[in-house]
Amino acid sequence: MRCAIDWFSRYLKSEQGIPSHDTLRRVFSKLDTAEFFTAMHAWVDRFAGSLREKGIAIDEKVLRRSFDRAAGQDLLHIITAFATDTRMVLRQRSVEKKNNEIPAAAELLKSIGMVYRHREGGVSEHDENTFFFSSLPPKVKRLSRLLRDHWKIENSQHYMLDVTFSEDASRTRVGNSLEISAAFRRMALNVLQRDTTVKHSIRGKRLRAGRDGSVLDNIYASFRGV
């Protein structure tokens, strides 16, 4: 952190040095989540581009370390809307329980469909009905491709958040800091997923950006120029 003091000082006065983890946590805990998400979503919309006929995966992720018995805080469930083509998190919303995933998603999209799947392997058979929301006309080939792309949210978002950003290991719990921290991770992932200036993995880009202000500037400038 100390090596980034010059870069950090361009955006925030730092007479006392770079804020510590505890300071940032206290600030995040006091932020209004509704206003923050409104600003975050407006920021994302500037870069999302046209989503016409593009797939949007909506899925829930549970932050495993968010449970705090002493504070009476249950596990945090976060639903995100994820553009499968551009690999961008478009929307984020927290819900209380797993069974709130569908009504929360329904607030984002207008129609509903169903896919029936039958699998055979050896002596076992498996039948499954999957329901989905869509704003597109019922064209089977187009919807089939988009439904297959839904699984990109697991590899391109959930896996990255846990492995690269250690989200499941985070013990940030005070006030609104849990939701705000989760939002910042997704904002950072949006920037890193779209970057073409650094030929490296997401983890490698994050490490280089944290150590070299010029690399961070190039990554963000490239993102803004998209």
Side-chain angles (χ1 to χ4, degrees):
M1 290 288 285
R2 291 180 180 176
C3 65
I5 185 65
D6 293 335
W7 184 93
F8 195 87
S9 298
R10 287 187 289 169
Y11 303 96
L12 188 67
K13 293 182 179 179
S14 53
E15 290 87 352
Q16 305 299 321
I18 293 178
S20 68
H21 175 274
D22 290 340
T23 299
L24 293 175
R25 184 184 61 189
R26 287 195 297 271
V27 171
F28 291 172
S29 70
K30 301 297 183 181
L31 294 178
D32 183 286
T33 54
E35 292 188 10
F36 183 86
F37 288 150
T38 297
M40 172 190 173
H41 296 159
W43 175 79
V44 170
D45 288 346
R46 293 173 54 194
F47 308 103
S50 174
L51 297 173
R52 183 178 296 276
E53 298 189 5
K54 300 292 180 63
I56 300 176
I58 299 177
D59 202 10
E60 178 180 328
K61 186 177 186 296
V62 180
L63 276 66
R64 302 296 177 186
R65 292 294 186 95
S66 58
F67 177 74
D68 190 343
R69 186 185 301 276
Q73 179 171 296
D74 203 352
L75 288 170
L76 180 65
H77 298 246
I78 293 180
I79 292 178
T80 51
F82 181 79
T84 56
D85 282 0
T86 59
R87 296 187 296 176
M88 288 192 67
V89 178
L90 304 173
R91 292 292 185 269
Q92 172 182 325
R93 175 175 177 176
S94 61
V95 294
E96 295 181 358
K97 298 178 182 179
K98 179 72 176 178
N99 58 10
N100 280 339
E101 178 176 356
I102 292 178
E107 295 181 8
L108 301 179
L109 298 174
K110 306 163 195 116
S111 61
I112 188 170
M114 185 190 80
V115 174
Y116 167 73
R117 295 186 177 95
H118 175 76
R119 297 188 182 94
E120 298 182 6
V123 296
S124 63
E125 295 186 5
H126 178 71
D127 295 283
E128 179 184 58
N129 289 324
T130 302
F131 295 89
F132 62 92
F133 295 102
S134 174
S135 59
L136 297 174
K139 303 294 185 181
V140 175
K141 289 185 178 180
R142 182 194 301 175
L143 291 176
S144 295
R145 176 181 59 82
L146 296 176
L147 290 170
R148 288 194 298 271
D149 285 346
H150 174 84
W151 297 107
K152 289 181 180 179
I153 194 172
E154 296 289 342
N155 296 327
S156 298
Q157 186 199 164
H158 295 177
Y159 177 82
M160 289 294 182
L161 289 170
D162 287 335
V163 173
T164 303
F165 291 86
S166 301
E167 180 164 85
D168 263 354
S170 174
R171 301 184 69 87
T172 301
R173 299 170 180 169
V174 179
N176 296 329
S177 60
L178 185 58
E179 292 180 79
I180 300 298
S181 297
F184 272 119
R185 292 187 201 101
R186 285 155 178 78
M187 292 170 70
L189 185 59
N190 276 349
V191 175
L192 295 174
Q193 292 271 32
R194 299 288 294 274
D195 176 65
T196 58
T197 65
V198 179
K199 304 301 182 182
H200 217 297
S201 65
I202 297 296
R203 180 188 292 273
K205 290 180 181 182
R206 184 187 177 200
L207 290 174
R208 290 191 60 186
R211 295 170 179 169
D212 189 334
S214 62
V215 172
L216 179 57
D217 285 337
N218 290 336
I219 288 176
Y220 191 59
S222 174
F223 178 80
R224 295 182 63 187
V226 173

